[in-house]
Amino acid sequence: MTTLPAALRDKVEFAPADLDWLHQLVGDWQLVADLSMADLVLWVRNKNGRLMAMDQCRPSNNPTVHPDDVIGLRMPAVREALALEALASCQVKIAKDSVWNGTVAVKEEFIPVVRGGRAIAVLTRESTVGLLSGGRLIDDGQLQAANRLCQMISQGDFPVSGAGTSVRHGMPRVTDGMICLSVEGNVTYASPNATTCFHRLGIKGSLDKVQLLEQVTNLIPPHSHVDETMSLVLMGRQAWLTELELGGVFLAVRSVPLLDAGQRAGGLLLVRDITELRRREQALLSKDATIREIHHRVKNNLQTVSALLRMQARRAKQPEAQEALREAERRVATIATVHDALSQNIDEIVDFDEVFGQVLRQAALVAESDHKVSVQLEGRFGMVDGDAAQALVTVLAELVTNAVEHGLAKRDGTVTVTAQRDGAALKVLVSDDGEGVAEGKVMSGLGTQIVSTLVRTELHGVIDWSPNPQGGTVVTIHACLED
């Protein structure tokens, strides 16, 4: 639901449909301000019947006549009479005398904002006398388009319902280029920037009086893909945005139908050359595809290494060599799992609970045990930085495997991994109900040495082995993650 500015929430009442209409107008009135080279101020009646400024818009191509914000201010009484007359008559009113604002003389127009045959607000269009911009008078074609849009506002035809006027990347503006069309789709006015845009597309000569759709259609190679909205946009029939591409040149074209008492009276096109924008986007897509291909190759290489270790383990004669190669294979598989998760996340962070769930299942399956062993995960790890995730998953996979292969080698049992996260602080307990670790065996193997080193150097924490009161062993890790 759209809302009023904070300065008006307790002073103005509007039906939801009327308020939504005003917000649609404000969402697209920069077009009117730039065409008019004028400031726009939207005035609404407060509960006392006085007109207050609801919003304002400054032109992007001309100096403003309102350097300070006017939102929430009341309209001076000397101006309010003409504004109320515009509201009552649903007709545009023009002040006879200009107003001196301290630096320039300002011409004022009062435009009723009509919805469903009712005037619900007043829009003032305030411009410097003479409509000077950069030392020149405003172009007649541009001014005529601005006047037509203001007339449409007073007739309830603008904003165009369902036009989707929200700002998009590459949306053309008045300063990028504008074209006015007749009812038949012939060009009646084209700004210099618009002419340049279509010259780059391939149209030769002046655009004056040519039918733009015919000229563009003649340039399209046979059997080319064409946006189905192109014809409606280039004829000015629908308030849509389309994109033209010919010979590596990209133009964004927006159409605004011009109406007179609800009947088509022509069209307004805004055009922008977005060739460089699309080139950069294509370069980014190419880089993204390259990075994805690199990730895919790394994943394949890790799988190849894992397969080679598995093959070598089968050919090894000594049990110690077989065991060492199987452990190396398992560690490579763990690294591959985390890499795969990171390669799908541009933020270089992972949902560790999801990743570790996969590793946990693999660790329980790979570990050798002739007995029934279940593995449980309690608590949540949350989101973890990529570097910390790689170290943490290696540590936990090693501890779970050791618990299955050593603590539960001769009995059924359960391995439980419990996570307790508080910001950057992480506490993890890996417990089993097996035989426990014999005295003097802690830190005696390569696996526990790897675990201790990773906890200390990569996770900035400590690790401790202790007996489980229910039997077995509890390994406690205190780590500090990037929050």
Side-chain angles (χ1 to χ4, degrees):
M1 174 63 68
T2 52
T3 59
L4 286 164
L8 298 177
R9 286 174 191 166
D10 298 329
K11 302 176 181 179
V12 177
E13 291 182 353
F14 267 108
D18 290 342
L19 184 58
D20 186 62
W21 184 260
L22 294 179
H23 277 271
Q24 288 184 55
L25 174 63
V26 170
D28 203 26
W29 67 349
Q30 188 67 55
L31 169 63
V32 182
D34 289 345
L35 285 171
S36 306
M37 294 187 182
D39 283 65
L40 303 179
V41 181
L42 182 64
W43 302 87
V44 295
R45 272 181 165 174
N46 62 16
K47 295 177 181 178
N48 296 323
R50 297 295 304 273
L51 290 174
M52 299 185 66
M54 176 180 174
D55 210 341
Q56 68 183 115
C57 179
R58 298 181 177 92
S60 61
N61 52 356
N62 205 45
T64 181
V65 299
H66 288 298
D68 299 323
D69 287 340
V70 299
I71 297 173
L73 299 181
R74 287 196 296 189
M75 181 181 288
V78 294
R79 301 169 58 199
E80 198 170 49
L82 198 55
L84 293 175
E85 186 179 338
L87 265 175
S89 64
C90 291
Q91 298 291 324
V92 177
K93 301 295 180 181
I94 302 176
K96 293 181 180 180
D97 300 321
S98 59
V99 178
W100 181 257
N101 71 350
T103 55
V104 293
V106 178
K107 175 185 176 182
E108 292 183 304
E109 296 178 63
F110 299 85
I111 304 157
V113 179
V114 175
R115 174 187 171 273
R118 298 179 301 106
I120 59 175
V122 174
L123 185 70
T124 56
R125 181 166 62 158
E126 305 172 36
S127 55
T128 55
V129 173
L131 297 177
L132 285 172
S133 175
R136 66 175 178 83
L137 288 172
I138 185 173
D139 293 329
D140 287 341
Q142 182 175 327
L143 181 57
Q144 289 175 10
N147 291 338
R148 173 55 57 193
L149 289 178
C150 290
Q151 194 67 34
M152 289 170 61
I153 293 172
S154 70
Q155 295 171 348
D157 294 324
F158 189 87
V160 181
S161 181
T165 56
S166 59
V167 177
R168 291 170 53 183
H169 196 39
M171 176 74 81
R173 301 157 297 183
V174 171
T175 52
D176 295 318
M178 64 155 291
I179 291 175
C180 293
L181 302 175
S182 67
V183 177
E184 296 78 18
N186 297 323
V187 176
T188 59
Y189 170 81
S191 71
N193 283 348
T195 302
T196 299
C197 286
F198 280 98
H199 282 175
R200 290 174 180 171
L201 197 68
I203 295 177
K204 306 296 183 182
S206 172
L207 296 182
D208 187 38
K209 297 181 181 179
V210 305
Q211 188 176 73
L212 199 58
L213 176 60
E214 181 181 353
Q215 293 289 321
V216 172
T217 302
N218 291 338
L219 296 174
I220 299 175
H223 311 297
S224 298
H225 172 74
V226 178
D227 189 339
E228 61 183 10
T229 64
M230 184 190 75
S231 60
L232 293 174
V233 169
L234 294 182
M235 289 292 289
R237 293 181 179 273
Q238 292 291 339
W240 286 338
L241 178 71
T242 191
E243 195 169 297
L244 307 177
E245 190 274 322
L246 285 172
V249 176
F250 292 82
L251 298 184
V253 184
R254 180 193 173 189
S255 170
V256 180
L258 299 179
L259 306 179
D260 185 6
Q263 302 297 316
R264 284 191 63 243
L268 171 67
L269 302 184
L270 302 180
V271 57
R272 179 181 179 183
D273 187 343
I274 56 171
T275 303
E276 185 62 19
L277 182 64
R278 293 292 176 262
R279 188 193 67 79
R280 291 177 181 175
E281 289 178 352
Q282 290 174 354
L284 288 174
L285 288 173
S286 177
K287 290 179 180 179
D288 182 65
T290 301
I291 291 171
R292 290 183 181 277
E293 178 63 21
I294 291 172
H295 281 312
H296 181 68
R297 292 187 182 186
V298 170
K299 179 182 177 181
N300 288 345
N301 289 341
L302 289 170
Q303 291 175 342
T304 300
V305 172
S306 181
L308 290 174
L309 289 170
R310 191 182 311 115
M311 184 185 301
Q312 191 64 41
R314 286 198 297 265
R315 294 187 176 185
K317 303 299 183 183
Q318 298 179 347
E320 293 83 358
Q322 291 180 340
E323 178 64 19
L325 290 169
R326 279 195 293 268
E327 289 184 358
E329 177 196 348
R330 172 172 51 77
R331 289 164 185 152
V332 170
T334 299
I335 294 171
T337 300
V338 178
H339 172 80
D340 186 44
L342 288 171
S343 66
Q344 300 176 32
N345 193 330
I346 61 173
D347 295 328
E348 292 297 323
I349 60 174
V350 294
D351 184 344
F352 194 82
D353 299 283
E354 181 179 341
V355 174
F356 185 56
Q358 302 175 32
V359 174
L360 203 58
R361 290 189 294 271
Q362 292 176 2
L365 290 173
V366 172
E368 292 185 351
S369 176
D370 296 329
H371 299 272
K372 183 178 179 181
V373 177
S374 62
V375 182
Q376 299 177 349
L377 176 60
E378 298 178 354
R380 287 189 57 81
F381 290 89
M383 304 302 292
V384 178
D385 173 77
D387 292 335
Q390 187 71 75
L392 184 58
V393 77
T394 302
V395 167
L396 296 178
E398 197 73 36
L399 293 175
V400 170
T401 303
N402 284 347
V404 175
E405 292 185 344
H406 302 296
L408 298 169
K410 300 178 180 179
R411 62 201 300 184
D412 297 345
T414 302
V415 179
T416 304
V417 180
T418 305
Q420 300 172 6
R421 179 80 179 267
D422 183 12
L426 174 67
K427 179 181 179 181
V428 185
L429 290 86
V430 181
S431 59
D432 65 79
D433 52 4
E435 296 183 347
V437 181
E439 188 176 351
K441 292 292 186 179
V442 175
M443 295 293 294
S444 61
L446 176 62
T448 53
Q449 293 178 16
I450 292 175
V451 164
S452 298
T453 301
L454 288 174
V455 170
R456 185 178 67 257
T457 60
E458 300 294 332
L459 301 177
H460 313 291
V462 294
I463 185 170
D464 177 64
W465 280 262
S466 61
N468 189 344
Q470 286 76 36
T473 306
V474 176
V475 183
T476 304
I477 301 172
H478 291 274
C480 182
L481 307 177
E482 293 292 336
D483 195 8

